[in-house]
Amino acid sequence: MSKRSAEQSAEQSPAKKAKSLEAAVAAADAADAAQEWREVGANAGGAADDDGVAADQAPADASGDLPFGPPHNGQTNLYYEYRDHTADIQLHAWGYDLAMTFENTALAMFDYMVELPAMAIKETRRIEAKAHDLNSLLFAFMDEWLYMFNTEMFVAKQIFISAFDRENFVIRAEGRGEIFDKTVHPAGTEVKAITFSEMQIHETDTRCDIYIIVDI
């Protein structure tokens, strides 16, 4: 850093310093909230109790900074919503960080195909998604879960990303749920395919939003 730059930095106004500190604190709070969310196991659709049984609802957002989406399938504490888009549907999900938002996007897809509150947590599946950039990683991540549903009829009621490598674009995740049985579980609308159409990923220090259109 040049002497002039150092002097300018030292002469930074108190207002700018306070703003920078406020942004840093907000980012740290968001990171802590995301970590607490994962430790509690509070994905949309219920948190796992100590005995492995899913609770009825995830805890409310304590910070008040992350709003819930509209009620869906009797749930009121969702970090996603659905937007009509010609013959398809657009999923909009959000979270404190990118991993949480990826998780909520996949849950939004499952909750559109079935009624997640009616599903139990009986089995576990693990997936790995690889890609060459962030958008293609989102596509691969969603496509892995859709493939799991199409081949095994497995529905993830909870999804936890255990590894998110942003340099090599690799995700490892675990889904907890059960096999869908149309004679027992209420069905929603079939998702035929994931698309890149109008895909958007917005990320700040304190919040992430994802928009993705699925073919129905």
Side-chain angles (χ1 to χ4, degrees), residues 92-182:
H92 172 212
W94 55 93
Y96 293 109
D97 61 14
L98 199 56
M100 178 180 175
T101 309
F102 268 57
E103 294 164 350
N104 287 333
T105 306
L107 288 172
M109 179 181 69
F110 278 119
D111 204 17
Y112 195 73
M113 295 191 293
V114 305
E115 293 186 12
L116 277 188
M119 307 302 294
I121 296 177
K122 298 180 178 180
E123 303 178 27
T124 298
R125 296 289 188 279
R126 293 178 177 84
I127 64 104
E128 181 177 84
K130 298 180 180 180
H132 61 273
D133 60 23
L134 204 53
N135 279 22
S136 59
L137 184 59
L138 173 60
F139 181 96
F141 177 75
M142 296 290 289
D143 199 49
E144 286 288 340
W145 290 117
L146 183 58
Y147 178 79
M148 186 79 69
F149 178 79
N150 287 335
T151 57
E152 300 185 32
M153 299 302 291
F154 177 78
V155 173
K157 187 172 184 175
Q158 297 176 349
I159 294 175
F160 304 93
I161 291 178
S162 57
F164 198 126
D165 186 340
R166 297 187 60 157
E167 292 185 2
N168 299 303
F169 301 108
V170 178
I171 288 178
R172 295 181 181 87
E174 175 181 287
R176 303 172 186 174
E178 68 172 322
I179 301 300
F180 175 76
D181 183 345
K182 64 181 180 181

Side-chain angles (χ1 to χ4, degrees), residues 28-40 95-98 100 103:
D29 287 345
D32 289 343
Q35 180 61 29
E36 181 180 358
W37 178 259
R38 290 188 179 83
E39 289 175 354
V40 172
Y96 293 109
D97 61 14
L98 199 56
M100 178 180 175
E103 294 164 350

